[in-house]
């Protein structure tokens, strides 16, 4: 039986919350904490892009678990469950976002440049089809978090092929492959710039190549989890503390001044610093009883359960409330209302959209899985 690491759900929940804080911070001009501590490791509390890297690491880890215990899933069943898990709640979010957009986006608001540039493109059939089929750029229409889900689905489709490499080769070879994929992404990007190609959106195909490596690192963590946990548990407290500090510094490397160092400021290199920090967080959560106990506190773990819905819906809630109530109530109350409403709506989505979607995936694959087992039994 595949073990479920519930503490990892909580990490995903905390990461989703930092995405919410990140987008709230972008909607607040000259907020004291953000303006004074933006370029410090305290940025971890509103680290949006960093959280997405954590999501990719965790996806790689969880999807790799069956392979590490010789329970390779049937591809058809795997992809059906994956589509139901990711795509069905996503489609519901697009429906909600479209309705909110059409009802509320006509009112002009002047908040911050980031907010002012969102929900500016009128919805048409092309935009709707782009969202349904994961095409185009999504920064200004309906739901701006869509870009990361595109990478999630693309890489999920080819993930079983990636596991051939992960399981066949040792960690050194796999890390080299991951780094080489990033080099390929960088070279393609630079070439496209020279020929005047202008599509460098967050969901570009070349960027997916880079994120494949992040998924593979998560899979490597799953493959070597027992060894890594043993190493961590056998170290002294001071070593663990120093390593956690290194994890925090690596995870927030984009913000604490490293931009001044030539070439290190490249996003692809910064992403690998984030991935290192995220990997340390994952291993420490699996190895430390104190960290694990914190992550399994009911409020923290519940945040993990609703994390996908929270990520999907908070942007729609943010824009809807700002367009509906901006100027009518104090802005600080408006931001608090966004946070509370996002959690409430995410909770409803978890129970009435996510869980039924997962159940649909299991039901659609149950008969197929049973037939495969019977066929294998007859052959044996």
């Amino acid at each position: 039986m595949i073990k479920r690491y519930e503490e990892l759900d909580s990490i995903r929940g905390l990461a989703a919350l930092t995405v919410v804080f990140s987008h709230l911070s972008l909607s607040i001009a000259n907020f004291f904490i953000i303006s004074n501590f933006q370029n410090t490791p305290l940025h971890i509390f509103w680290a949006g892009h960093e959280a997405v890297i954590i999501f990719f690491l965790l996806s790689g880890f969880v999807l790799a678990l069956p392979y590490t215990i010789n329970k390779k899933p049937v591809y058809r069943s795997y992809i059906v469950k994956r589509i139901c898990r990711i795509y069905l709640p996503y489609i519901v979010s697009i429906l909600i976002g479209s309705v909110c957009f059409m009802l509320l986006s006509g009112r002009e608001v002047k908040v911050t440049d980031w907010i002012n540039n969102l929900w500016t493109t009128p919805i048409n059939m092309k935009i709707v089809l782009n969202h349904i089929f994961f095409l185009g750029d999504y920064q200004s229409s309906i739901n701006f978090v869509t870009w990361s889900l595109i990478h999630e689905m693309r890489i999920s489709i080819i993930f079983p092929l990636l596991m051939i490499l992960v399981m066949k080769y040792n960690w050194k070879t796999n890390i080299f492959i991951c780094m080489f994929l990033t080099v390929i992404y960088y070279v393609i990007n630079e070439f496209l710039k020279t020929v005047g190609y202008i599509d460098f959106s967050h969901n570009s195909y070349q960027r997916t190549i880079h994120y494949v490596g992040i998924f593979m690192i998560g899979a490597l963590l799953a493959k070597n989890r027992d060894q890594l946990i043993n190493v961590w548990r056998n170290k002294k407290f001071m070593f663990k503390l120093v390593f956690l500090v290194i994890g925090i510094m690596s995870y927030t490397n984009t913000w604490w001044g490293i931009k001044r160092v030539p070439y290190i400021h490249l996003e692809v290199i910064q992403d690998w610093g984030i991935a290192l920090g995220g990997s340390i967080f994952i291993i420490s959560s699996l190895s430390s009883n104190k960290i694990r106990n914190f992550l399994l506190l009911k409020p923290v773990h519940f945040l993990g359960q609703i994390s996908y819905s929270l990520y999907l819906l908070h942007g729609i809630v943010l824009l809807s409330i700002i367009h509906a109530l901006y100027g009518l109530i104090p802005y600080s109350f408006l931001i608090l209302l966004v946070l509370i409403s996002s959690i409430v709506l995410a909770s409803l989505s978890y129970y009435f959209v996510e869980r039924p979607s997962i159940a649909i995936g299991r039901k659609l694959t149950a008969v197929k899985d049973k037939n495969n087992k019977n066929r294998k039994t007859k052959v044996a």
Side-chain angles (χ1 to χ4, degrees):
M1 185 175 179
I2 301 171
K3 181 179 179 181
R4 183 173 182 83
Y5 295 94
E6 294 186 347
E7 55 268 44
L8 299 185
D9 293 335
S10 299
I11 290 180
R12 185 181 287 106
L14 293 173
L17 188 62
T18 65
V19 174
V20 177
F21 289 157
S22 172
H23 291 143
L24 290 179
S25 73
L26 290 172
S27 67
I28 304 173
N30 300 319
F31 185 51
F32 172 79
I33 294 178
I34 295 170
S35 60
N36 285 275
F37 297 99
Q38 176 80 329
N39 296 319
T40 73
L42 287 178
H43 183 84
I44 193 173
F45 293 108
W46 59 94
H49 177 72
E50 293 83 346
V52 173
I53 301 299
I54 280 276
F55 296 154
F56 292 160
L57 285 171
L58 290 172
S59 292
F61 186 102
V62 172
L63 294 178
L65 287 175
Y67 296 86
T68 65
I69 57 173
N70 295 319
K71 287 191 176 182
K72 178 182 176 182
V74 176
Y75 183 77
R76 180 178 174 181
S77 297
Y78 156 78
I79 202 64
V80 168
K81 289 179 180 178
R82 198 69 182 151
I83 289 172
C84 291
R85 178 70 182 93
I86 297 175
Y87 190 71
L88 294 186
Y90 161 75
I91 288 296
V92 173
S93 79
I94 294 303
L95 177 62
I96 294 172
S98 298
V99 172
C100 293
F101 185 105
M102 290 185 289
L103 292 177
L104 301 170
S105 63
R107 186 167 179 264
E108 184 179 359
V109 297
K110 294 183 179 179
V111 185
T112 63
D113 289 341
W114 180 71
I115 288 290
N116 299 342
N117 290 325
L118 295 171
W119 275 14
T120 56
T121 305
I123 292 181
N124 53 42
M125 184 55 66
K126 180 180 178 181
I127 289 176
V128 172
L129 292 176
N130 280 351
H131 281 77
I132 292 174
F133 294 108
F134 282 153
L135 300 171
D137 188 10
Y138 305 90
Q139 295 307 298
S140 63
S141 58
I142 304 181
N143 192 353
F144 53 81
V145 304
T146 298
W147 69 271
S148 67
L149 303 180
I150 296 175
H151 297 297
E152 186 85 31
M153 281 305 304
R154 287 175 184 165
I155 299 172
S156 291
I157 290 170
I158 65 169
F159 190 79
L161 295 177
L162 302 179
M163 285 308 300
I164 296 174
L165 298 175
V166 171
M167 298 305 296
K168 183 176 181 179
Y169 299 109
N170 61 33
W171 65 271
K172 294 180 182 179
T173 302
N174 274 288
I175 289 179
F176 174 81
I177 293 171
C178 294
M179 297 299 180
F180 186 66
L181 289 172
T182 291
V183 172
I184 292 175
Y185 159 71
Y186 182 74
V187 170
I188 292 175
N189 248 21
E190 292 303 304
F191 171 76
L192 291 176
K193 290 178 183 177
T194 63
V195 298
Y197 186 74
I198 60 174
D199 181 16
F200 298 101
S201 57
H202 285 298
N203 51 284
S204 64
Y205 290 101
Q206 64 268 24
R207 192 178 289 261
T208 301
I209 298 172
H210 167 56
Y211 289 140
V212 163
I214 307 296
F215 267 72
M216 289 180 67
I217 293 297
L220 280 174
L221 293 176
K223 177 185 176 181
N224 299 283
R225 63 190 181 280
D226 292 335
Q227 300 93 309
L228 291 169
I229 289 171
N230 288 332
V231 169
W232 182 275
R233 288 178 175 171
N234 290 328
K235 296 297 182 180
K236 295 182 179 179
F237 172 78
M238 188 55 64
F239 174 89
K240 298 175 183 178
L241 181 61
V242 169
F243 233 68
L244 282 174
V245 171
I246 292 173
I248 294 172
M249 297 294 287
S250 297
Y251 188 72
T252 57
N253 79 85
T254 305
W255 296 98
W256 48 261
I258 204 168
K259 292 181 179 179
R260 300 185 181 92
V261 181
Y263 296 106
I264 299 298
H265 72 283
L266 295 173
E267 181 184 342
V268 291
I269 296 178
Q270 292 171 346
D271 279 354
W272 283 111
I274 298 168
L276 172 61
S279 298
I280 291 173
F281 296 158
I282 290 171
I283 294 304
S284 62
S285 71
L286 298 176
S287 309
S288 169
N289 289 331
K290 291 182 179 179
I291 295 176
R292 184 175 184 273
N293 289 338
F294 167 74
L295 292 173
L296 293 183
L297 291 173
K298 287 186 177 180
V300 180
H301 188 243
F302 180 70
L303 195 63
Q305 291 177 309
I306 67 171
S307 58
Y308 183 44
S309 288
L310 182 61
Y311 181 75
L312 272 179
L313 297 171
H314 76 276
I316 297 170
V317 173
L318 171 64
L319 293 173
S320 297
I321 289 179
I322 287 179
H323 279 268
L325 300 176
Y326 179 72
L328 301 179
I329 63 175
Y331 199 71
S332 57
F333 290 127
L334 188 149
I335 292 300
L336 181 61
L337 180 61
V338 170
L339 179 60
I340 295 173
S341 299
S342 295
I343 293 174
V344 170
L345 184 59
S347 302
L348 294 173
S349 175
Y350 170 69
Y351 286 109
F352 297 108
V353 179
E354 276 195 72
R355 291 177 64 169
S357 297
I358 294 171
I360 290 172
R362 289 173 177 168
K363 186 175 183 179
L364 289 175
T365 58
V367 175
K368 184 70 177 179
D369 291 342
K370 184 178 180 180
N371 291 338
N372 286 333
K373 288 181 180 179
N374 292 337
R375 190 179 299 113
K376 289 179 181 179
T377 302
K378 289 180 181 179
V379 172

